[in-house]
């Protein structure tokens, strides 16, 4: 009776009966209303709990690491993957294990070239350690795709048919730029015709020649608490999508792959 729509007359009749029958009847009436209220609330909460639990069960759990099949599935879901990934580390310490993970994950996602730079240039001294860790990881039969990889210090990449890992630093990058400028100036002194033909596009071609068979980075991930390039050459980043992560130390797979998802969603536009 209490759950259906009650008219005003019915409520008046019920109120008179309650007053006539005394306080005990009123207490019974209030107790019945309280029971109905509790019943409704319990069922509403149960429905909400079912909805919330079902929602979270539909979400893939957070992954610190991922197996090969999971990475392959993630790669297939992305409409595009960067062919050249630049990792710029702006932190006090370098986590070699996390760096190795990022290299493996990148190659499994379809990245061809990975450039890694840190602000102090310490990674250039750690090239052997990083390569050793990577080779140990590639002993896993499921990672044979990553085994065809060449590690370089900053310089010309001659073979674009394999995976390449380039270790550099902003300081080394600036030094290579100065070397290219000096070479160009010497060529201009020897060849007067070059002075007339030299323009920004031609000089960009000279820089590309010095760099070798590798394109500019498609995606840059900056690790650190502040957003800075530390003087890294901006002309190489003119078409690069840039994102940030707070730290590479102990980096999880899901955090790393979030940068790839952002890149896949971006719409790149060039001037008319």
């Amino acid at each position: 009776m209490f759950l259906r729509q009650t008219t005003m007359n019915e409520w008046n009749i019920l109120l008179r009966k309650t007053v006539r029958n005394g306080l005990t009847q009123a207490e019974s009436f209030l107790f019945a209303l309280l029971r109905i209220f509790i019943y409704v609330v319990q069922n509403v909460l149960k429905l909400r709990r079912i909805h919330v639990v079902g929602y979270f069960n539909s979400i893939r759990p957070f992954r610190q690491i991922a197996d090969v099949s999971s990475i392959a599935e993630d790669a297939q879901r992305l409409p595009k993957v960067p062919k050249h990934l630049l990792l710029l580390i702006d932190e006090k310490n370098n986590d070699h294990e996390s760096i190795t993970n990022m290299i493996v994950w990148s190659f499994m996602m379809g990245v061809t070239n990975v450039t890694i730079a840190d602000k102090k240039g310490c990674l250039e001294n750690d090239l052997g350690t990083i390569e050793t860790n990577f080779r140990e990881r590639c002993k896993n039969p499921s990672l044979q795709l990553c085994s065809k990889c060449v590690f370089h210090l900053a310089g010309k990449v001659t073979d674009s048919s394999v995976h390449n890992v380039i270790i550099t630093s902003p300081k080394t990058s600036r030094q290579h730029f100065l070397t290219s400028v000096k070479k160009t100036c010497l060529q201009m002194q020897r060849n007067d015709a070059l002075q007339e033909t030299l323009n920004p596009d031609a000089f960009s071609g000279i820089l590309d020649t010095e760099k070798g068979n590798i394109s500019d980075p498609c995606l840059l991930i900056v690790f650190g608490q502040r957003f800075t390039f530390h003087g890294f050459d901006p002309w190489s980043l003119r078409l690069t999508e840039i994102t940030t992560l707070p730290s590479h130390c102990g980096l999880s797979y899901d955090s790393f792959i979030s940068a790839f998802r952002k890149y896949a969603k971006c719409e790149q536009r060039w001037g008319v």
Side-chain angles (χ1 to χ4, degrees):
M1 180 179 67
F2 300 108
L3 295 178
R4 68 181 179 86
Q5 186 176 0
T6 307
T7 64
M8 184 62 68
N9 290 333
E10 289 175 334
W11 278 112
N12 290 333
I13 294 173
L14 182 60
L15 181 61
R16 285 196 295 272
K17 288 183 178 179
T18 301
V19 173
R20 184 170 56 251
N21 293 336
L23 185 60
T24 303
Q25 187 68 24
E27 290 177 346
S28 300
F29 172 69
L30 292 175
F31 180 73
L33 285 178
L34 181 60
R35 290 187 62 184
I36 294 172
F37 175 76
I38 293 174
Y39 174 79
V40 172
V41 170
Q42 287 177 339
N43 281 273
V44 169
L45 291 177
K46 180 185 290 187
L47 290 175
R48 288 187 177 181
R49 179 178 177 276
I50 292 174
H51 174 73
V52 171
V53 171
Y55 173 75
F56 281 103
N57 285 339
S58 66
I59 299 177
R60 178 179 291 181
F62 182 82
R63 294 168 293 176
Q64 184 70 23
I65 58 175
D67 54 24
V68 175
S69 60
S70 298
I71 298 175
E73 291 176 2
D74 290 335
Q76 292 177 355
R77 294 191 186 99
L78 298 178
K80 62 178 179 179
V81 175
K83 295 303 180 183
H84 184 188
L85 174 65
L86 172 58
L87 307 174
L88 180 56
I89 300 175
D90 179 25
E91 299 184 75
K92 294 181 179 179
N93 300 316
N94 296 320
D95 186 347
H96 292 165
E97 182 177 357
S98 293
I99 291 173
T100 303
N101 287 337
M102 289 190 288
I103 296 173
V104 173
W105 294 336
S106 298
F107 289 159
M108 295 302 298
M109 289 295 296
V111 177
T112 304
N113 301 302
V114 177
T115 298
I116 308 172
D118 66 319
K119 64 179 181 179
K120 296 181 180 179
C122 296
L123 287 178
E124 293 176 323
N125 299 325
D126 298 338
L127 175 63
T129 302
I130 296 173
E131 182 174 4
T132 300
N133 293 343
F134 178 80
R135 301 298 181 194
E136 287 292 327
R137 188 74 61 84
C138 289
K139 290 181 179 179
N140 186 334
S142 62
L143 297 178
Q144 291 181 354
L145 174 66
C146 301
S147 60
K148 298 179 180 180
C149 175
V150 180
F151 282 74
H152 313 263
L153 287 175
K156 183 181 292 187
V157 177
T158 57
D159 191 354
S160 58
S161 62
V162 298
H163 295 105
N164 292 285
V165 176
I166 303 99
I167 306 296
T168 184
S169 66
K171 181 179 179 180
T172 302
S173 178
R174 291 194 297 269
Q175 188 61 45
H176 277 281
F177 173 73
L178 293 175
T179 302
S180 300
V181 172
K182 291 178 181 179
K183 288 183 179 180
T184 303
C185 292
L186 290 174
Q187 292 175 1
M188 291 175 63
Q189 288 179 357
R190 299 168 185 169
N191 187 355
D192 294 336
L194 183 60
Q195 299 180 14
E196 300 178 359
T197 58
L198 186 63
N199 54 46
D201 291 335
F203 186 68
S204 178
I206 295 173
L207 293 176
D208 291 340
T209 302
E210 291 294 327
K211 187 168 48 179
N213 298 324
I214 185 172
S215 62
D216 289 337
C218 304
L219 173 63
L220 164 62
I221 305 177
V222 180
F223 296 96
Q225 298 299 323
R226 56 179 180 171
F227 184 79
T228 177
F229 295 149
H230 287 288
F232 202 92
D233 47 350
W235 48 88
S236 299
L237 307 177
R238 57 189 182 275
L239 300 177
T240 303
E241 294 297 325
I242 303 171
T243 187
T244 60
L245 289 173
S247 177
H248 80 292
C249 297
L251 184 70
S252 68
Y253 170 76
D254 278 339
S255 297
F256 181 70
I257 200 65
S258 66
F260 281 71
R261 294 194 179 102
K262 290 180 181 178
Y263 173 80
K265 293 179 180 178
C266 73
E267 297 182 5
Q268 294 174 303
R269 296 184 177 91
W270 291 270
V272 180

